[in-house]
Amino acid sequence: MSDEDEGLGYHGPKHEVVYVRWHSMDTAPKDGTMVVVRVGTYVYVARWIPSQFRGPEWKAFNAGIVEPDAWFPIPQIEGTK
């Protein structure tokens, strides 16, 4: 992944567009923290989980096991915890 990888934009709480940069999967948290991951052109919320049968893997909500190529932290929305 290069520094020129395209980021992702979303609408913030005041309807402004917020852009985030993707990070290499080498730097993704492996402690069960939920993050946003990119798998090709798809984007999921996922977390790293230990597996008794297959070894550790990324589990995406609504998609099952995935092999992401990039990630970023779930953005905090002002006024929420």
Side-chain angles (χ1 to χ4, degrees), residues 8-26:
L8 177 72
Y10 69 95
H11 290 281
K14 297 178 183 169
H15 303 286
E16 76 279 18
V17 176
V18 178
Y19 290 95
V20 293
R21 285 236 166 244
W22 293 106
H23 302 284
S24 166
M25 289 308 296
D26 296 336

Side-chain angles (χ1 to χ4, degrees), residues 1-79:
M1 179 183 326
S2 73
D3 289 339
E4 289 138 16
D5 275 352
E6 192 172 312
L8 177 72
Y10 69 95
H11 290 281
K14 297 178 183 169
H15 303 286
E16 76 279 18
V17 176
V18 178
Y19 290 95
V20 293
R21 285 236 166 244
W22 293 106
H23 302 284
S24 166
M25 289 308 296
D26 296 336
T27 64
K30 304 257 185 345
D31 61 359
T33 301
M34 291 188 293
V35 296
V36 177
V37 297
R38 180 181 69 195
V39 181
T41 59
Y42 296 96
V43 176
Y44 303 103
V45 173
R47 65 185 177 126
W48 181 255
I49 59 169
S51 171
Q52 295 175 319
F53 306 105
R54 295 183 295 262
E57 55 201 1
W58 285 97
K59 169 91 167 116
F61 296 91
N62 298 325
I65 304 304
V66 295
E67 294 184 24
D69 49 49
W71 77 281
F72 66 81
I74 294 177
Q76 292 297 313
I77 298 174
E78 207 175 293

